[in-house]
Every structure is written in C-alpha cells, then in structure tokens.
Amino acid sequence: QVQVAESGGGLVQAGGSLRLSCTASGLNSDTYFMGWFRLAPGKEREGVSCISWGGEDTYYADSVKGRFAISRDNAKNTIYLQMNNLKPEDTAMYYCAADRTYSNTYCGSSEVEYRYWGRGTQVTVSS
C-alpha cells in the first residue's frame, strides 16, 4: 500500500520562508516521480513543482519560479519544497503526490499523472 505524507506547513509573514517535506512509502524499489500541488479557496488545484526520480529534471509553475526549490533524497523516500519570499497569494493547502515511472528524467506537472496523494499541509502567508 502506497502512502504519501506531507509536513512543514504553517503560518508565516510575507517575505518569510517555509520548507515542506513529503515522504512516500510502499513504493519499495520502484522508481517514481513526485510533485507538489496547491489548492486555494475559490481556485482550481495548481501544479507547483515536480521532480524526476533522478532529481535532475524539475518543473516549476511560473508563479513560483525563482522563489521555490524542489529537491529529493531517495535514500529517505522524501522530497522537499523550499519556499522563499512567500507572498499572501501562496496561501493554500499544499498536496504532495507520487507515481511510478520507467523514466529517470521525467516528472508529471499535471495532477492526472498522479495516483498517490497525501492529505495536504496548510500554508498561510500573512501580509
């Protein structure tokens, strides 16, 4: 059984930083890509960032480029999202997702590419 769990959300002032973590279990020796999505009130879920199994290929939404950085530690089955210079518009529930892949160099930027999802962690940025 695959499980995905996020942590690290919280309340921060505009301009501050947070680091989200996400651990996937149950994928054993499979290769898999992982990503972060967010859902804000009144908006559709947005793909924020993703990272390939090899870690060298990443994707960032235009709204977070230059401020967010994704990384992974396969030994710990964990990815991280370092979020800097946070803005009130970054306020959302952040979800981590994972899915198996045969590629070391691809990650999915669309939610339809993921089968395994965490329950989310809330990020609130005050102005």
Side-chain angles (χ1 to χ4, degrees):
Q1 182 179 359
V2 178
Q3 293 185 325
V4 177
E6 310 93 337
S7 62
L11 173 63
V12 65
Q13 289 187 331
S17 298
L18 281 174
R19 189 176 82 153
L20 304 183
S21 299
C22 173
T23 299
S25 59
L27 286 164
N28 302 322
S29 59
D30 294 337
T31 57
Y32 52 95
F33 55 74
M34 298 183 72
W36 289 97
F37 295 79
R38 65 186 181 186
L39 182 61
K43 295 185 178 181
E44 294 185 353
R45 187 151 58 181
E46 173 189 21
V48 175
S49 182
C50 70
I51 187 165
S52 63
W53 169 254
E56 295 180 351
D57 293 85
T58 58
Y59 160 83
Y60 295 97
D62 288 343
S63 57
V64 306
K65 281 181 181 176
R67 300 188 298 122
F68 290 12
I70 193 169
S71 60
R72 70 186 295 161
D73 183 343
N74 287 343
K76 297 180 179 179
N77 298 322
T78 299
I79 67 169
Y80 306 94
L81 187 67
Q82 179 66 42
M83 306 186 295
N84 298 324
N85 190 23
L86 282 160
K87 304 175 180 180
E89 51 263 43
D90 294 317
T91 295
M93 183 72 77
Y94 282 71
Y95 296 90
C96 179
D99 211 329
R100 295 181 175 89
T101 178
Y102 293 108
S103 172
N104 288 339
T105 59
Y106 177 79
C107 69
S109 59
S110 170
E111 60 182 289
V112 300
E113 299 181 84
Y114 293 85
R115 286 175 289 173
Y116 309 112
W117 291 82
R119 295 187 175 185
T121 185
Q122 178 67 37
V123 171
T124 302
V125 184
S126 62
S127 57

